[in-house]
């Protein structure tokens, strides 16, 4: 699921034409080899970052929610969105959570973009992990004496 993050970020950058090299440069695809190179670069550099964020912030958040029995679609997707912006919040805290000094660029839009990417990662996780099936995840199935627990 974390591999969705670099690919989705690349798509957002390509669709919006966000400048990566400075204010006078608009990022557009020149040819097919540039598309392949950009995709490879985002996956090679983005995958380790995405997996690190998942292991450092996402896994503890998931295990905590699972321990307290709060695993549902909303907790997984919104939790993933919060996990996606957590490293950015930590790094930008010393600047008052402002990422850009340039008035033409919005820090809030940057946060929303990463929250959207985190939400998408959470949605992919929800469906590929089988949590969307009630049989795959049942809070009370392992509890002895629960109303709908299997017979022991």
């Amino acid at each position: 699921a974390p591999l969705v993050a670099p690919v989705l970020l690349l798509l957002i950058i390509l669709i919006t034409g966000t400048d990566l090299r400075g204010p006078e440069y608009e990022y557009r695809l020149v040819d097919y080899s540039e598309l392949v190179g950009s995709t490879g670069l985002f996956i090679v550099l983005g995958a380790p970052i995405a997996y690190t964020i998942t292991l450092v912030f996402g896994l503890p958040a998931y295990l905590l929610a699972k321990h307290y029995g709060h695993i549902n679609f909303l907790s997984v997707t919104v939790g993933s969105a919060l996990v996606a912006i957590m490293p950015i919040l930590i790094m930008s805290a010393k600047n008052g959570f402002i990422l850009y000094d340039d008035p033409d660029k919005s820090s809030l839009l940057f946060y929303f973009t990463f929250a959207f990417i985190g939400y998408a990662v959470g949605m992919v996780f929800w469906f590929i992990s089988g949590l969307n099936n009630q049989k795959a995840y049942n809070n009370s199935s392992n509890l002895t004496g629960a109303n709908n627990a299997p017979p022991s």
Side-chain angles (χ1 to χ4, degrees):
L3 279 179
V4 171
V7 174
L8 191 56
L9 182 60
L10 175 66
L11 288 175
I12 289 171
I13 288 172
L14 291 176
I15 290 169
T16 61
T18 303
D19 59 338
L20 296 176
R21 300 181 195 169
E24 67 278 347
Y25 180 80
E26 285 193 22
Y27 191 80
R28 293 190 195 108
L29 291 177
V30 177
D31 58 8
Y32 179 73
S33 64
E34 188 174 339
L35 173 66
V36 172
S38 298
T39 304
L41 181 68
F42 268 76
I43 290 175
V44 167
L45 295 178
I49 294 169
Y51 278 101
T52 301
I53 291 170
T54 301
L55 289 175
V56 171
F57 296 108
L59 185 60
Y62 174 76
L63 293 175
L64 192 64
K66 184 177 178 183
H67 176 73
Y68 288 107
H70 293 296
I71 298 294
N72 57 36
F73 181 77
L74 189 64
S75 69
V76 169
T77 53
V78 173
S80 295
L82 293 174
V83 163
I85 62 172
M86 190 70 65
I88 302 165
L89 288 173
I90 291 170
M91 290 187 300
S92 65
K94 64 181 176 185
N95 297 334
F97 303 107
I98 297 172
L99 299 170
Y100 300 111
D101 292 331
D102 185 6
D104 292 338
K105 294 187 176 188
S106 170
S107 297
L108 189 60
L109 184 61
F110 192 82
Y111 288 124
F112 279 137
T113 301
F114 274 82
F116 172 73
I117 291 169
Y119 185 88
V121 169
M123 224 165 55
V124 168
F125 175 73
W126 176 260
F127 287 109
I128 67 170
S129 66
L131 290 175
N132 60 326
N133 299 328
Q134 291 299 323
K135 292 178 185 176
Y137 190 83
N138 187 352
N139 287 337
S140 61
S141 64
N142 295 327
L143 300 175
T144 306
N147 290 340
N148 57 351
S152 49

